[in-house]
Amino acid sequence: MDFRLKVFYTVATRLSFTKASVALFITQPAVSKHIQELEESYKIKLFDRTGSKISLTAAGEKLLKYTKIIFEIYREIDFEMGALINEQRGMLRIGASTTISQYIIPPILARFHQEMQGINFNLRNGNTEQIESALLNKEIEIGIVEGQSKNKGIKYIPFLKDELVLVCNSTNTLVNKDEITKHDLLQLRFLLREQGSGTLEVIEHALKPLKIKMSELTVEMQLGSTESIKSYLMNSDCVAFISIHAIQNELKNNELVILDVDNLVMERFFYIISLQGKTDALSDLFIKKISRHYNLKL
């Protein structure tokens, strides 16, 4: 593999020479030298530099497109050559939305790695929108996401059932109520995830039968992760809709309490996602092993 292309790819995806040098464990002048050599070789600029900011030129965009294809081929060669001598080796880039990457996928990766120690994983964290975008841009091979909307360029396999529940801290006076009504929901102060989170889509979808719009909820704050929402809940009288998978320890320790809401069920599936019509042996192997473990029907 041409190391200069690896340097180019790292700079192009981070749009930063400094971040690229850190990621590649080389000096910033070395990064600049490799990019300069590529530009001299192709006799064209790959980056525009404005002060401390850089952006891809048209030539840079085109080279990035082909670099992704080249790296994809290298990855498949590595896996296929290993398979010929009964060695499982290669790199699989996985993206997972926040709830999944924090609470669900690490044990899965650990089990997979125990079985196949030659396979390395790169786990990328982000909200559903970001993970789907990374898949479409071929920055990852597989994603595991939440949410209701579907993109036509992506194949979705139902993976694991989840339920969002309304929770508050155990000292909140709401714990004494048998049931939370629609009227109560409109009076409460909510913590919500950021825009682009699949959780927001599920909440919006589930509230429709109650004829409640998201805009009618009183939102005290939007936070970028479930962990930050849980921490905030511990120190406030707010409520939040959170995945049941994310609060097992807090329920056990009596730090958070689930509130029953009248006529409200928030069930969803997490989905394994891959590009429509695009398969490779390592991704297929990973999906099959997950599917076998969870008895999924592909």
Side-chain angles (χ1 to χ4, degrees):
M1 183 187 295
D2 188 335
F3 187 68
R4 291 180 306 174
L5 280 183
K6 188 173 182 181
V7 173
F8 166 75
Y9 176 82
T10 309
V11 175
T13 52
R14 288 164 175 77
L15 291 179
S16 167
F17 282 74
T18 305
K19 289 177 182 176
S21 70
V22 172
L24 294 167
F25 301 102
I26 60 176
T27 64
Q28 194 169 327
V31 171
S32 299
K33 183 174 179 291
H34 285 299
I35 298 300
Q36 186 181 348
E37 286 174 357
L38 272 178
E39 290 180 329
E40 288 173 357
S41 174
Y42 291 122
K43 298 182 177 62
I44 195 167
K45 279 178 63 178
L46 300 172
F47 294 97
D48 281 323
R49 297 159 178 84
T50 310
S52 60
K53 292 183 179 180
I54 64 169
S55 59
L56 285 163
T57 62
E61 294 279 6
K62 195 169 284 288
L63 183 59
L64 178 59
K65 173 188 167 185
Y66 286 112
T67 301
K68 287 178 181 178
I69 295 169
I70 290 167
F71 287 173
E72 199 173 318
I73 293 169
Y74 272 126
R75 197 180 62 83
E76 291 181 19
I77 290 171
D78 199 29
F79 181 76
E80 297 286 358
M81 291 297 103
L84 290 174
I85 55 171
N86 295 317
E87 280 186 12
Q88 301 290 356
R89 64 175 184 240
M91 164 67 77
L92 186 61
R93 299 173 301 172
I94 300 174
S97 51
T98 314
T99 300
I100 297 161
S101 66
Q102 285 183 314
Y103 309 107
I104 295 168
I105 202 168
I108 293 171
L109 296 183
R111 282 194 296 269
F112 192 96
H113 190 65
Q114 282 174 353
E115 289 181 40
M116 300 189 166
Q117 295 185 6
I119 306 296
N120 293 314
F121 294 98
N122 186 313
L123 179 60
R124 178 173 183 160
N125 178 38
N127 63 37
T128 295
E129 193 175 85
Q130 291 166 339
I131 297 305
E132 290 186 346
S133 176
L135 180 68
L136 292 168
N137 289 326
K138 297 186 178 179
E139 294 164 11
I140 56 174
E141 284 77 47
I142 295 174
I144 306 180
V145 299
E146 56 210 57
Q148 297 285 336
S149 63
K150 303 287 187 294
N151 186 303
K152 290 181 180 178
I154 295 174
K155 179 182 178 183
Y156 294 81
I157 301 171
F159 163 52
L160 186 64
K161 198 170 186 181
D162 183 35
E163 183 182 2
L164 292 178
V165 290
L166 186 66
V167 296
C168 66
N169 76 48
S170 56
T171 62
N172 196 311
T173 55
L174 289 169
V175 301
N176 299 316
K177 288 180 72 74
D178 291 334
E179 203 167 50
I180 302 297
T181 64
K182 173 183 175 179
H183 175 76
D184 292 328
L185 287 175
L186 295 172
Q187 308 304 312
L188 298 175
R189 290 179 294 120
F190 282 84
L191 302 175
L192 295 177
R193 285 288 305 279
E194 80 289 356
Q195 291 300 318
S197 166
T199 300
L200 285 186
E201 284 187 75
V202 177
I203 295 170
E204 188 172 14
H205 183 77
L207 289 175
K208 280 181 181 175
L210 297 182
K211 296 184 177 174
I212 296 176
K213 295 178 182 177
M214 291 286 282
S215 58
E216 294 178 277
L217 298 179
T218 301
V219 181
E220 176 155 324
M221 197 167 293
Q222 286 188 276
L223 296 165
S225 72
T226 300
E227 284 299 306
S228 56
I229 286 178
K230 289 195 295 183
S231 181
Y232 196 110
L233 278 178
M234 303 285 194
N235 297 281
S236 77
D237 289 329
C238 293
V239 297
F241 289 110
I242 300 179
S243 166
I244 193 74
H245 292 287
I247 56 171
Q248 294 304 306
N249 288 335
E250 288 79 11
L251 293 176
K252 203 179 295 180
N253 297 331
N254 196 34
E255 294 170 320
L256 295 177
V257 176
I258 296 174
L259 301 169
D260 288 327
V261 183
D262 185 29
N263 289 320
L264 184 65
V265 177
M266 287 192 179
E267 292 182 340
R268 64 176 174 182
F269 272 97
F270 295 135
Y271 295 91
I272 300 169
I273 61 171
S274 57
L275 288 176
Q276 285 283 12
K278 174 76 180 73
T279 60
D280 68 85
L282 181 50
S283 297
D284 286 346
L285 177 65
F286 181 76
I287 291 171
K288 280 175 186 171
K289 283 197 169 287
I290 284 185
S291 304
R292 218 174 292 139
H293 182 81
Y294 285 96
N295 296 316
L296 305 182
K297 293 180 182 177
L298 298 182

